[in-house]
Amino acid sequence: MEQLETKIIPFEAVYNFRDMGGYKTKDGRRVKNGLFYRSAALGKMTLADKELFETLGIKTIFDYRDNNEAYHNPNPVFSHAQYIQIPAKGNHAFEMPTNAGGRDFYKVVSPEMFRDFYAQMPFNNLSFKELMQTIQNSNNLGLVHHCAVGKDRTGIGGALILLALDVPEETIMEDYLDTNIHLRPMVERMAQAIQHQYNEQELQQFYALMSAREDYLQAALDAMDRRYGSKTGFLEQEFGLTIEKREQLQSYCLI
């Protein structure tokens, strides 16, 4: 598979912000740059970050976080962008770690539970249904979609967008795993801060949950095939993305 340079946007106080353009589709076209961005939370932006953001032509900020997460770290307001915030976590009992109740998240949530979380996220999810509706209107693009660190909920959202554009699954996995590179400084800082409260096993679990792992995203991809027989069937029945609607989307988003 052809290796592509990930187009990271160099913000001062926003992690993992990158352009999802440039990926090659199965028929050899490419995703246009400047239409889809993925990111961690935007709330800590500096003045320079806001100025840089204004140059990207973003019309939609799509936030997967819970209401409580968004309340405690609100997105900056940009006059030319609409803001959509619909929680993507679904009905999982655990609190996300950026919520007030999530302090022990890394002690009580195992990698196995997290795989189950991934396997359930793509289905009957109001947030992703709205996302797939939103991207079909070219007036809503460029779009940045994000959660707290831009890994799990954003990882599924990114996979859905790239699947709809007919990007190969190996490339989708590569896009997802790139998060590990861009979050490493933040993860190491978090580990330093918590290590005195964690035993060795709990610290290993922390690293497992803070990693983009192939088995996590693969659990979601496998569940799509298991439930619907194919990704095509999944996109059509879950989101109403028929072949025709996908072709319309692709005609605008690919070159």
Side-chain angles (χ1 to χ4, degrees):
M1 185 189 63
E2 175 191 18
Q3 291 292 311
L4 272 178
E5 197 69 30
T6 300
K7 192 177 177 193
I8 190 86
I9 313 292
F11 287 102
E12 294 175 341
V14 180
Y15 284 97
N16 203 16
F17 195 112
R18 44 201 163 104
D19 192 331
M20 293 170 63
Y23 290 130
K24 194 179 267 191
T25 62
K26 290 175 187 172
D27 67 5
R29 289 181 289 174
R30 288 188 186 278
V31 181
K32 289 180 188 173
N33 286 311
L35 293 184
F36 302 105
Y37 298 92
R38 52 177 299 166
S39 178
L42 309 175
K44 302 289 193 286
M45 277 189 175
T46 63
L47 185 59
D49 286 344
K50 291 177 182 177
E51 289 172 354
L52 175 56
F53 188 91
E54 292 273 21
T55 69
L56 298 177
I58 290 170
K59 299 176 186 172
T60 305
I61 299 170
F62 200 105
D63 186 346
Y64 301 119
R65 295 177 301 166
D66 294 349
N67 297 339
N68 200 33
E69 292 176 280
Y71 176 78
H72 283 102
N73 184 19
N75 276 334
V77 174
F78 295 96
S79 57
H80 300 297
Q82 63 169 328
Y83 178 51
I84 302 170
Q85 184 247 324
I86 304 174
K89 180 169 69 78
N91 58 2
H92 279 265
F94 55 74
E95 285 279 339
M96 296 311 284
T98 42
N99 273 335
R103 284 191 309 276
D104 291 328
F105 177 87
Y106 304 106
K107 294 185 179 184
V108 300
V109 178
S110 68
E112 293 70 32
M113 289 165 68
F114 225 48
R115 270 201 302 274
D116 289 343
F117 173 42
Y118 268 77
Q120 291 177 43
M121 251 198 298
F123 306 102
N124 197 29
N125 190 314
L126 294 177
S127 187
F128 295 133
K129 286 180 190 292
E130 185 64 27
L131 174 75
M132 301 312 271
Q133 198 62 43
T134 301
I135 67 171
Q136 291 180 69
N137 182 346
S138 59
N139 293 326
N140 294 326
L141 307 177
L143 173 144
V144 57
H145 59 123
H146 77 89
C147 50
V149 299
K151 175 173 74 77
D152 306 308
R153 294 164 285 185
T154 306
I156 296 287
L160 295 177
I161 290 169
L162 294 177
L163 280 173
L165 296 176
D166 215 27
V167 170
E169 286 179 41
E170 316 86 78
T171 308
I172 292 171
M173 184 64 75
E174 182 188 331
D175 177 72
Y176 168 71
L177 294 174
D178 272 349
T179 282
N180 290 325
I181 301 164
H182 305 304
L183 286 186
R184 193 169 293 139
M186 186 185 83
V187 171
E188 289 307 323
R189 267 211 317 279
M190 289 172 70
Q192 289 291 318
I194 63 169
Q195 60 184 1
H196 64 285
Q197 307 161 15
Y198 280 56
N199 64 37
E200 185 59 34
Q201 184 183 346
E202 288 167 346
L203 205 56
Q204 290 303 314
Q205 186 152 294
F206 162 79
Y207 277 113
L209 296 181
M210 282 305 296
S211 297
R213 289 192 358 180
E214 193 164 336
D215 61 318
Y216 293 160
L217 184 59
Q218 196 60 51
L221 296 170
D222 290 346
M224 295 172 196
D225 287 336
R226 204 163 48 245
R227 293 205 195 190
Y228 290 111
S230 68
K231 306 299 187 305
T232 302
F234 162 72
L235 290 169
E236 184 163 337
Q237 294 178 64
E238 213 41 69
F239 305 112
L241 270 174
T242 60
I243 300 288
E244 294 74 29
K245 286 187 175 177
R246 285 178 66 191
E247 284 173 354
Q248 285 172 9
L249 178 69
Q250 290 164 16
S251 70
Y252 180 76
C253 297
L254 304 178
I255 48 174

